Amino acid sequence: MTVFDGPWAKELLGLLKKRLPEKTFKHVISVTEMMVRLVEPAALDHEQAVTAGLLHDLCKTMKPDELLKRAKEYGIRPNEAQKAKPNLLHGPVAAEEGRRKLKIRDEAVYEAVYYHTVGKPGWCRLGLALYVADF
């Protein structure tokens, strides 16, 4: 199985290529490749790992006002830190875009992408792997 196998990979790659600057796109590819390397040792599902890796920075380059607007549209209530630094909303907004616009229904992928910048107590292995792969 190659790194970008799976039903969402080609669609997400096309969307990311259009939406992200080259540097961010390369970062997303690198994170996804690391996620695939973690599949076996962390007992992850390959498709989940690829999807979370590709989706995690979908909204990374949105302007602060746009992140705040999308968060409001999606019912995400920014905390004080997110209000002060709206870029912290790129994970929650990306998770919601994945769910609403790309029809990704996998809860582990949603949670991994949503919390990938800040983590979460009791987080699933997929989320922990994404957190590590992203840094």
Side-chain angles (χ1 to χ4, degrees):
M1 195 175 269
T2 66
V3 171
F4 300 108
D5 281 347
W8 297 110
K10 286 187 174 68
E11 182 179 348
L12 285 174
L13 281 169
L15 178 62
L16 292 166
K17 193 73 169 165
K18 290 178 195 172
R19 194 179 231 186
L20 300 177
E22 187 67 20
K23 181 179 178 182
T24 308
F25 181 77
K26 286 180 178 179
H27 163 75
V28 167
I29 298 304
S30 176
V31 168
T32 305
E33 289 170 341
M34 177 59 76
M35 289 293 288
V36 170
R37 280 191 226 107
L38 294 171
V39 164
E40 191 174 325
L44 303 176
D45 176 83
H46 183 272
E47 185 177 329
Q48 286 179 323
V50 170
T51 303
L54 290 174
L55 187 61
H56 84 282
D57 275 351
L58 178 66
C59 300
K60 177 79 172 175
T61 58
M62 283 185 176
K63 298 199 180 312
D65 290 347
E66 182 65 19
L67 284 166
L68 289 165
K69 177 184 166 202
R70 297 262 179 115
K72 184 176 181 180
E73 287 173 11
Y74 296 151
I76 299 166
R77 294 177 146 164
N79 60 35
E80 291 306 312
Q82 292 166 327
K83 288 176 188 173
K85 294 201 175 263
N87 188 50
L88 292 171
L89 290 165
H90 79 272
V93 172
E96 283 296 330
E97 288 209 357
R99 178 180 276 168
R100 293 167 188 246
K101 294 183 178 180
L102 301 171
K103 307 295 185 213
I104 296 171
R105 299 286 179 236
D106 189 305
E107 286 301 314
V109 170
Y110 178 88
E111 185 179 274
V113 171
Y114 194 101
Y115 294 103
H116 82 271
T117 57
V118 295
K120 167 185 178 196
W123 210 6
C124 67
R125 284 190 316 271
L126 184 67
L128 292 169
L130 182 57
Y131 187 83
V132 168
D134 194 29
F135 295 98

